[in-house]
């Protein structure tokens, strides 16, 4: 899949009910109605927590290369959706990435976050020796996007909401 194009077939459409907004949520108005905006910090927390949840369930270290590259790729593609892999590598090897002044500013819609997470996981899989994302990668995507909307979600919630399967079944895929 090309990172140049926006692939709306991979986007999870959600209905946003403004009455469910939590204190501090920022909502923007679009042609199709209100949408929640997410900050770079919220996305980073969701992807790190999603990686941790998936790694824990698979009994793997969340420090493994496959996960470290995912986090870097997601954050790179959030800022620059068509960035080449060289830009991901540059960011990955920075000793202390500079914090952007707007890290806490809500500015990304869920579709942008979903695209960055999916593209980041796909690219990390390709560049860490796997020809395509596996079930563990898919769990990272689903966990991160679930945690983005519900930071208190756990593996049980992800298994039921994203797979309509018991946690035991989902865990057997890992």
């Amino acid at each position: 899949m090309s990172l140049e194009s926006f692939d709306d077939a991979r986007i999870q459409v959600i209905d946003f009910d403004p009455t469910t907004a939590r204190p501090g949520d920022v909502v923007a108005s679009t042609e199709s109605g209100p949408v929640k905006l997410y900050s770079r910090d919220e996305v980073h927390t969701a992807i790190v927590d999603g990686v941790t949840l998936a790694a824990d369930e698979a009994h793997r270290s969340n420090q493994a290369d496959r996960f470290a590259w995912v986090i870097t790729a997601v954050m790179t593609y959030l800022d620059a959706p068509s960035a080449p892999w060289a830009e991901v590598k540059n960011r990955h090897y920075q000793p202390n990435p500079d914090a952007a002044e707007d890290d806490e500013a809500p500015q990304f819609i869920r579709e942008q976050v979903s695209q960055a997470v999916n593209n980041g996981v796909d690219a990390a899989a390709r560049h860490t020796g796997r020809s395509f994302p596996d079930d563990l990668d898919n769990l990272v995507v689903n966990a991160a996007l679930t945690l983005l909307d519900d930071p208190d979600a756990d593996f049980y919630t992800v298994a039921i909401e994203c797979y309509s399967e018991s946690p035991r079944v989902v865990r057997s895929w890992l």
Side-chain angles (χ1 to χ4, degrees), residues 109-133:
I109 61 173
R110 192 172 199 287
E111 287 83 4
Q112 290 171 301
V113 176
S114 177
Q115 194 75 38
V117 170
N118 278 288
N119 287 343
V121 167
D122 290 353
R126 284 192 310 275
H127 291 283
T128 56
R130 290 172 283 125
S131 29
F132 56 89

Side-chain angles (χ1 to χ4, degrees), residues 86-125:
E87 191 169 328
V88 174
K89 285 173 68 174
N90 287 341
R91 182 178 265 187
H92 185 77
Y93 290 117
Q94 281 182 335
N96 294 315
D98 296 328
E101 290 182 22
D102 62 352
D103 275 356
E104 295 179 12
Q107 56 188 311
F108 303 102
I109 61 173
R110 192 172 199 287
E111 287 83 4
Q112 290 171 301
V113 176
S114 177
Q115 194 75 38
V117 170
N118 278 288
N119 287 343
V121 167
D122 290 353

Side-chain angles (χ1 to χ4, degrees), residues 48-60:
V48 168
D49 291 350
V51 159
T52 301
L53 184 149
D56 287 350
E57 291 304 323
H59 303 291
R60 304 230 182 134

Side-chain angles (χ1 to χ4, degrees), residues 17-86:
D17 179 1
T19 62
T20 63
R22 290 177 281 160
D25 284 353
V26 175
V27 179
S29 182
T30 65
E31 291 177 9
S32 60
V35 294
K36 181 176 179 199
L37 297 177
Y38 300 93
S39 70
R40 190 175 284 102
D41 281 347
E42 288 173 309
V43 175
H44 186 264
T45 298
I47 190 63
V48 168
D49 291 350
V51 159
T52 301
L53 184 149
D56 287 350
E57 291 304 323
H59 303 291
R60 304 230 182 134
S61 168
N62 64 350
Q63 302 299 312
D65 272 355
R66 73 181 289 154
F67 300 125
W69 282 107
V70 163
I71 294 167
T72 304
V74 167
M75 297 311 294
T76 302
Y77 294 144
L78 185 65
D79 293 327
S82 60
W85 185 252

